Amino acid sequence: MATTLTDGRRRRGEQSRRAVLGEAVNLASVEGLDGVSIGTLAERTGTSKSGVVALFGSKLDLQLATIRAAREIYIASIIEPTLRAPRGIARLWSLCLTWLEYSRGRTFEGGCFFRAAAAEADSKSGPVHDALVAVDEDWIAFVERCVLLAADDLPALRDPKLLAFELIALMDAANSGSLLHGTDRAYELAEAAMHDRLLAAGADPDALRSGRR
């Protein structure tokens, strides 16, 4: 009986934790991680402040847990679908389109969680900054890896790291432009620019037809 009660409390605690983190990632994408407070989340989830504290501890612990939860969503929304595409130009192009759709579809209410968080934390120091840097370094490495795996399909490619940087910059510009202007035009321009950049690197036009709007 005691084990059953303990398991039930654990399940309820985990459900509460997921509910609070679900609100936290969306709130942070709009208000930034500094806007993620125990009081605000308690109000938005109908949980007591003491209940949120019991789940996460300090505000810093809550912010770090929010970053981890957002990373899991990011992996499920972008990394995993991209890896299902065949290696080479098909995977690289899939990555570009998947990222644009992730931002366009507002997986997070405020666009890309990590672009919003980075803009707020880039000039600061501390555990939150370090956690965001680690996520960003993993993301850059993933894009660079996709470019390297597509190198045989890009005979005019000169610098894989530069191409990865350019693609990421176009993603970021599309995300921020769409939020500022409230239209999809930035996504259309980013997709066209990515398409042209891959063609300039030697991609077969037929390999880039899939997914174009």
Side-chain angles (χ1 to χ4, degrees):
M1 178 65 72
T3 300
T4 301
L5 291 173
T6 300
D7 289 345
R9 284 196 295 269
R10 185 179 293 113
R11 282 194 297 270
R12 288 192 295 274
E14 187 57 37
Q15 289 170 354
S16 297
R17 183 181 176 86
R18 286 197 298 269
V20 171
L21 285 175
E23 288 291 336
V25 294
N26 282 316
L27 179 63
S29 72
V30 177
E31 303 291 343
L33 280 163
D34 280 345
V36 177
S37 69
I38 289 171
T40 301
L41 289 174
E43 181 179 346
R44 288 179 63 142
T45 60
T47 306
S48 66
K49 289 184 180 180
S50 60
V52 177
V53 170
L55 289 170
F56 296 100
S58 68
K59 180 177 179 177
L60 174 59
D61 291 332
L62 173 59
Q63 290 174 325
L64 294 174
T66 300
I67 293 171
R68 290 192 294 270
R71 182 176 181 272
E72 291 177 3
I73 295 171
Y74 197 81
I75 289 172
S77 300
I78 301 168
I79 307 300
E80 292 175 356
T82 295
L83 290 175
R84 287 196 286 270
R87 287 188 178 189
I89 191 60
R91 180 174 294 178
L92 181 58
W93 186 228
S94 175
L95 170 62
C96 295
L97 297 179
T98 299
W99 199 97
L100 293 177
E101 192 54 40
Y102 144 84
S103 177
R104 189 200 316 257
R106 295 297 183 256
T107 302
F108 299 103
E109 289 178 11
C112 179
F113 172 95
F114 290 104
R115 293 308 97 205
E120 178 186 48
D122 57 6
S123 60
K124 300 177 182 179
S125 60
V128 169
H129 172 272
D130 294 345
L132 291 171
V133 168
V135 172
D136 197 53
E137 288 177 346
D138 285 346
W139 166 238
I140 292 169
F142 180 76
V143 179
E144 290 178 350
R145 179 63 175 166
C146 287
V147 172
L148 285 171
L149 289 174
D152 289 344
D153 299 324
L154 300 171
L157 177 66
R158 294 184 177 181
D159 187 337
K161 289 183 180 294
L162 178 59
L163 178 56
F165 179 86
E166 291 171 331
L167 295 176
I168 292 171
L170 288 168
M171 294 172 189
D172 292 349
N175 181 74
S176 61
S178 74
L179 291 169
L180 182 61
H181 297 285
T183 73
D184 281 354
R185 181 59 176 159
Y187 295 114
E188 296 165 3
L189 291 172
E191 182 176 331
M194 291 172 173
H195 183 268
D196 287 353
R197 187 64 192 85
L198 293 177
L199 288 179
D204 182 346
D206 289 338
L208 304 181
R209 295 189 192 281
S210 175
R212 291 219 69 190
R213 292 175 177 267

